[in-house]
Amino acid sequence: MTVSDVLLLALGALAVGSGALVVTSKHLVRAGLYLVVSLGAIAGLYLVLGAELVAWVQVLVYVGAVVVLLLFAVMLTRAPIGPSADLDRPVFPAALIGGGVGLGLAGLFVDAFHWVRYPEPEPGTAERVGEQIFGAWVLPFEVLSILLLSALVGAIVLSRPDIGARKAEPETEDA
């Protein structure tokens, strides 16, 4: 077992463990912080696998932007920060469904690849990555940015009751 194998196992266990804590946490802010740990561990997995660009995009986009947007929306909407009783869900049905889906996906994965070793693609260059991002993938990136912006504007509107409210008309006395 090599060092990279140990790192993959450790980071994978960290990602799965913190992902489970995201789902089971009764504290909304702590769930957001567990999400940061899980996404950071996934970025570490990318680094171990040699995909440095994907790792930094993971850190910048997901850890940096999405989680900050989530916590910012929680603060703007004045959601409860402490433990919430309504976040308590039965664990057994969720574990049963999650385990069944995980086993089903593992079976599909084994069936799809039949333990065959496929040739690795040629390494990417900055030019090819730029062509893909600014060519074929520019529309999804723009749609995602509009979606995140509209979520932020929606959180601001929901948190401020004075925005969009009609002003009371002054009463006039008819003599």
Side-chain angles (χ1 to χ4, degrees):
M1 195 173 239
T2 64
V3 175
S4 62
D5 292 338
V6 172
L7 281 174
L8 283 174
L9 288 173
L11 288 170
L14 181 66
V16 169
S18 58
L21 288 172
V22 169
V23 178
T24 59
S25 178
K26 293 182 183 180
H27 294 264
L28 197 56
V29 174
R30 286 184 187 170
L33 294 176
Y34 292 140
L35 183 63
V36 168
V37 172
S38 180
L39 293 173
I42 292 172
L45 287 170
Y46 288 138
L47 279 175
V48 171
L49 292 173
E52 291 87 7
L53 177 69
V54 179
W56 287 116
V57 168
Q58 170 86 13
V59 168
L60 289 174
V61 172
Y62 288 108
V63 177
V66 173
V67 173
V68 168
L69 181 67
L70 171 86
L71 293 176
F72 189 62
V74 165
M75 287 186 268
L76 276 177
T77 57
R78 297 185 188 125
I81 300 216
S84 297
D86 61 340
L87 294 178
D88 190 20
R89 302 281 190 263
V91 176
F92 181 72
L96 185 67
I97 291 170
V101 168
L103 286 174
L105 287 174
L108 284 173
F109 182 74
V110 168
D111 183 52
F113 291 104
H114 297 291
W115 301 108
V116 175
R117 190 168 187 99
Y118 291 97
E120 294 180 8
E122 63 185 63
T125 62
E127 181 182 358
R128 285 185 29 206
V129 170
E131 287 174 0
Q132 286 294 315
I133 288 177
F134 297 113
W137 292 99
V138 71
L139 182 63
F141 278 136
E142 292 299 323
V143 169
L144 181 64
S145 66
I146 291 171
L147 177 72
L148 291 174
L149 179 66
S150 63
L152 181 63
V153 170
I156 291 171
V157 169
L158 287 175
S159 69
R160 304 251 336 249
D162 58 329
I163 295 178
R166 292 186 179 176
K167 303 220 186 249
E169 296 180 12
E171 295 181 19
T172 58
E173 291 184 24
D174 292 329

